[in-house]
Amino acid sequence: MRPNPQPLYRQVKAHLVQCVLAGEWRPTEALPSEIALAREYNLSQGTVRKAIEEMVHDGLVTRQAGRGTFVTSHNGSYRPFRFHRLFSEAGEKIAGDAVRYLALRQVQLGARAARGLGLGPTAPATECLRLRELDGTPVLVERILLPERLCPDIATVLRAERPGSVYLMLEQHHNILITRVAEWVRARLATDEEGDLLGFSAPTPVLEVERVAYSLGGEAVEWRIMVGDSARLHYANDVT
Amino acid sequence: MRPNPQPLYRQVKAHLVQCVLAGEWRPTEALPSEIALAREYNLSQGTVRKAIEEMVHDGLVTRQAGRGTFVTSHNGSYRPFRFHRLFSEAGEKIAGDAVRYLALRQVQLGARAARGLGLGPTAPATECLRLRELDGTPVLVERILLPERLCPDIATVLRAERPGSVYLMLEQHHNILITRVAEWVRARLATDEEGDLLGFSAPTPVLEVERVAYSLGGEAVEWRIMVGDSARLHYANDVT
DNA sequence: CAGTGGTCTAGACCACATC
DNA sequence: ATGTGGTCTAGACCACTGA
């Protein structure tokens, strides 16, 4: 192992990540037990354990004593709304509420999304316009851009399913696991279009959350912008 | 150990935290080595290690191979600006820039800060009004409230030192270690006073960041509100 | 050079989930 | 009863730091 100065447990981790990437174990499915993996790699159980513990910390897998180690999913049993930071003023999550699909079409990325994704501004993409409601009235406009290259038939699936969670759809249909997002929050006035959608009658300040989502492989998969009525929701964050 | 179902490494961790809380080792100072602690507690080195690893993960201590384990500080060598999430649009941190103290006085908490801190609205506190500048012009107004009870002579120290970092001051003068903050981000229009300070000539949307800071002991120590020019800075966040 | 944290092994026992 | 992850031990060797 001379040419590779990485500790063994990191090599094991890297290999396990490759297996997840290759779809050997899909989200919600179990990995082999520590003992089985230790035998397979011809290492001690403690070394394999350390590899898995890092994956737990990364949020890639979830462990349950007595049951096993499972690939984390965005579905309801694991970590739904994992990346949601927008809450109603009362404090509960807004995500549980209804989602309305407004538009779905093929576009070019445009300058801003292209910058976020590190692609060219003319790259083909699927654009999705959605509206999230709270207590029956709209609070959040979402504009989602998914580059064509990474998920070619995404528009078909979106049109058919209109999923509440794009990331759950990506993991189920494309085995693309979103494991990290970067967000930028700004304040600005709503555009006329946004004002119409959110029911503003006058120029109103809104929260704008720009997001780039990265897959387990490290690729920027999705760019989205969320525009919310700041009188009814806020962006909450705990920092340690 | 029957009455305490906590694993040994957590009991060790709890005790080490108590020691830090008691000031046995101050920020930047070294803890005893694993071997010394293992001998002291009559446990194996691995158990002590696991306790310390959790403290590393919590951000309470920092380890350096060959040197030792040190209590994390907010000073420049350790983790300055640990809780800063506001960046200039170019991307660099805004914190490096100048801080101007505008006012410093004794007040009552008021309804909003009281709610955040879990205290009564008439509780006495020290209020600090500061202005942060970027490239020589103001971008951020900070209003900081520190309850009297937790740090009695804080006003004196603030007046004398006008520190760039309140948290560094707290750890140095009161041995209060801020280890966690909760933040709520909103968009609204600047007040007239804020507009004057930030140089707005018309009603302008601003980012409002409300923050409660918690000490190692778990007490809410500080409430602050930061109002920033959203054209020049944004709130950035990475979620995993 | 002695001391530190970082890696790795090979065992042991436990609580828990499942069948 | 079996298998899983969680805890704990008692060693070993390594790379790095600082005197």
Side-chain angles (χ1 to χ4, degrees), chain A residues 7-9 42-44 46-47 50 65-67:
Chain A
L8 290 177
Y9 73 88
N42 205 10
L43 292 170
S44 86
T47 302
K50 189 148 187 186
R67 298 230 305 132

Side-chain angles (χ1 to χ4, degrees), chain B residues 157-229:
Chain B
V157 181
L158 280 173
R159 214 175 291 277
E161 304 196 1
R162 298 170 182 271
S165 168
V166 171
Y167 301 159
L168 180 55
M169 182 210 65
L170 282 172
E171 85 180 30
Q172 288 174 342
H173 287 269
H174 297 76
N175 198 41
I176 293 176
L177 278 60
I178 302 299
T179 54
R180 184 173 74 83
V181 305
E183 294 187 318
W184 298 268
V185 186
R186 295 180 181 85
R188 60 168 172 81
L189 293 177
T191 64
D192 289 347
E193 189 192 4
E194 287 159 359
D196 287 346
L197 289 170
L198 294 173
F200 300 150
S201 52
T204 306
V206 285
L207 261 189
E208 181 196 88
V209 182
E210 182 183 357
R211 175 194 287 179
V212 176
Y214 296 89
S215 70
L216 178 58
E219 277 188 308
V221 173
E222 179 217 51
W223 182 89
R224 81 165 65 177
I225 200 119
M226 296 173 276
V227 176
D229 179 355

Side-chain angles (χ1 to χ4, degrees), chain A residues 174-215:
Chain A
H174 297 75
N175 198 40
I176 293 175
L177 279 61
I178 302 300
T179 54
R180 184 173 74 84
V181 305
E183 294 187 319
W184 297 269
V185 186
R186 296 180 180 86
R188 60 169 171 82
L189 293 177
T191 63
D192 289 345
E193 188 192 5
E194 288 159 358
D196 288 345
L197 290 169
L198 295 173
F200 300 149
S201 53
T204 306
V206 285
L207 261 189
E208 180 194 89
V209 182
E210 181 183 358
R211 175 195 285 179
V212 175
Y214 296 88
S215 69

